[in-house]
Amino acid sequence: MAKISLSNLRHSYMPDPTGPEDYALKKIDLDWQNGGAYALLGPSGCGKSTLLNIISGLLHPSEGRILFDDRDVTDLPPDQRNIAQVFQFPVIYDTMTVRENLAFPLRNRGVAEAKIAERVAEIAAMLEVEGMLDIRAAHLSPDNKQKISMGRGLVRDDVNVIMFDEPLTVIDPHLKWKLRSKLKELHQRVKATMIYVTHDQTEALTFADQVVVMQDGEIVQIGSPVELFERPQHTFVGHFIGSPGMNILPATQEEGQVLFNGQPVALEGAVTGEGGTTELGIRPEFVALADDGVPARVRKVSDVGRHAVVDAMVGDTPVKAVVDHVDVEQGAEVHLAFRPDQTRLYRDGWIATEAAHAK
Ligand code: ADP
Ligand code: MG
């Protein structure tokens, strides 16, 4: 296993890139610690696979270096990087049995047969595919093919990193949650550095200790699931993570006060910087229906199991609140209270308040 560092990485698929818009990766600097469980999260097209393929050596970056334990591997081909990669769609040999497929990465590296048998049995048990070991892979369902593909990625215990590129895409929804928790468990057991790429926040947040959020070829925030939820550094993260996402509300700044809908709002801490477009960010979980606060009209109430989502309008601005129980109906006039320590100011998308002091 190794620490992975990406330094000044840029990549364009064009022969003569000019502006930033020509780059699939704009400028990436990142350290992945040995043994960590990481997710790379972002919408489709933001550059996740490009980044992964640069780490594995399938792509050579236009600029920058890749280091494994401080050793420069930028110019090494994939087979010399000692990496396991699991792709979106199964990569297995149809003519081989499941057992032969799982054994292949080990046999390929001359591992002793006794050790191979042991590892294959172990991986098959983890993935619950023991009953299929002697079936030819061609006869498997797409779900099972992908499971075996994952097994091939996990079978070696000497790789620098195991990378998964949206591996659950072809898996049935009911199996998804099972494999998701299984992967987490596997990471705890094998302690390998794992990088899990997905556009699905639930997958990222359940798997990873650290989540790298990407947008448009750039990293917007790196943090634990709690950090991303609690203090998004950018409105994109606030909006992308959480269900429903963070309320992002138009705000104005006047003589040291921040106003929403003409009313002063208490923030988590002092405002930093000036100018630009200012917005308030507050998660629906920290908006309450109260006796006083911002006047609003209820547009919709949705029961989502353990709590309810109240969809309200403050003037022309929609604001969501997540509450335990509600006794209001559509059309009701209410007041919304924002929890000050959870109310943040964003300037041109980036956080512009100092964090409240921890008590
Ligand atoms: P993601 O995996 O996050 O969906 P990708 O890394 O596949 O994103 O793509 C990032 C950007 O690079 C997209 O705009 C995509 O269209 C472009 N791209 C990806 N692969 C190629 C390629 N082989 N040639 C040209 N452009 C590509
Ligand atoms: Mg991709």
Side-chain angles (χ1 to χ4, degrees):
M1 306 304 157
K3 171 187 155 193
I4 296 173
S5 310
L6 309 176
S7 158
N8 263 309
L9 219 58
R10 295 181 88 196
H11 188 71
S12 176
Y13 287 100
M14 297 180 179
D16 299 300
T18 49
E21 65 283 0
D22 293 346
Y23 283 83
L25 294 181
K26 299 208 167 88
K27 183 179 173 299
I28 305 281
D29 282 287
L30 191 58
D31 278 327
W32 268 314
Q33 299 306 321
N34 192 2
Y38 294 97
L40 200 52
L41 173 67
S44 176
C46 73
K48 304 182 297 295
S49 294
T50 303
L51 188 55
L52 221 55
N53 292 338
I54 286 175
I55 297 172
S56 66
L58 294 173
L59 263 182
H60 192 275
S62 310
E63 291 170 35
R65 315 305 299 170
I66 303 113
L67 310 173
F68 289 177
D69 281 337
D70 300 324
R71 170 170 172 244
D72 193 329
V73 299
T74 317
D75 300 318
L76 292 185
D79 60 343
Q80 287 177 37
R81 294 193 189 190
N82 209 11
I83 268 180
Q85 191 167 4
V86 177
F87 298 91
Q88 203 165 355
F89 299 101
V91 179
I92 54 170
Y93 299 103
D94 269 348
T95 54
M96 292 186 189
T97 62
V98 167
R99 189 190 306 279
E100 287 162 346
N101 264 291
L102 290 175
F104 190 84
L106 299 173
R107 230 163 241 150
N108 214 11
R109 299 186 79 87
V111 174
E113 283 301 318
K115 168 94 198 234
I116 293 179
E118 188 186 309
R119 282 297 289 171
V120 168
E122 212 174 312
I123 293 293
M126 282 183 198
L127 293 170
E128 296 172 33
V129 296
E130 298 107 310
M132 306 171 199
L133 283 173
D134 296 307
I135 294 174
R136 213 182 279 283
H139 300 308
L140 297 175
S141 66
D143 273 5
N144 282 327
K145 281 190 180 173
Q146 184 65 348
K147 265 193 175 179
I148 304 311
S149 208
M150 289 168 79
R152 285 164 49 97
L154 293 163
V155 76
R156 285 176 56 198
D157 57 9
D158 61 340
V159 289
N160 284 316
V161 54
I162 308 176
M163 308 198 295
F164 301 89
D165 195 349
E166 314 230 18
L168 303 183
T169 307
V170 293
I171 303 279
D172 251 29
H174 72 278
L175 245 183
K176 258 187 193 174
W177 72 266
K178 205 168 150 182
L179 280 179
R180 211 163 64 202
S181 34
K182 188 132 260 170
L183 268 177
K184 177 88 200 164
E185 191 189 305
L186 275 170
H187 176 260
Q188 279 153 357
R189 193 139 25 132
V190 303
K191 302 250 184 308
T193 310
M194 292 189 185
I195 303 175
Y196 187 99
V197 166
T198 179
H199 65 273
D200 180 322
Q201 55 161 318
T202 315
E203 284 182 23
L205 301 179
T206 33
F207 173 73
D209 303 325
Q210 288 278 307
V211 180
V212 178
V213 184
M214 284 181 72
Q215 181 199 23
D216 253 350
E218 286 180 291
I219 293 172
V220 274
Q221 188 171 359
I222 303 174
S224 67
V226 171
E227 286 164 345
L228 296 178
F229 181 82
E230 291 208 333
R231 222 161 164 274
Q233 296 299 296
H234 194 278
T235 51
F236 172 78
V237 178
H239 198 76
F240 195 67
I241 288 176
S243 179
M246 192 175 222
N247 291 299
I248 309 290
L249 313 171
T252 54
Q253 219 177 329
E254 275 170 37
E255 291 163 14
Q257 276 195 321
V258 170
L259 308 178
F260 169 55
N261 200 45
Q263 262 180 273
V265 179
L267 301 170
E268 59 171 338
V271 171
T272 58
E274 54 188 308
T277 303
T278 47
E279 291 164 302
L280 287 178
I282 176 146
R283 294 226 174 251
E285 287 80 358
F286 305 119
V287 177
L289 300 181
D291 293 334
D292 56 4
V294 185
R297 176 189 290 268
V298 175
R299 191 166 57 163
K300 196 171 109 196
V301 178
S302 339
D303 204 330
V304 289
R306 272 192 300 131
H307 48 245
V309 179
V310 177
D311 238 303
M313 293 300 285
V314 174
D316 297 332
T317 308
V319 181
K320 285 188 164 75
V322 168
V323 293
D324 286 342
H325 58 90
V326 272
D327 43 17
V328 295
E329 286 176 1
Q330 196 177 334
E333 303 284 348
V334 295
H335 287 92
L336 303 177
F338 299 167
R339 215 175 100 178
D341 66 330
Q342 295 291 339
T343 306
R344 325 201 185 287
L345 188 71
Y346 291 88
R347 191 184 308 288
D348 294 331
W350 295 97
I351 196 153
T353 34
E354 281 168 12
H357 287 294
K359 296 218 175 72

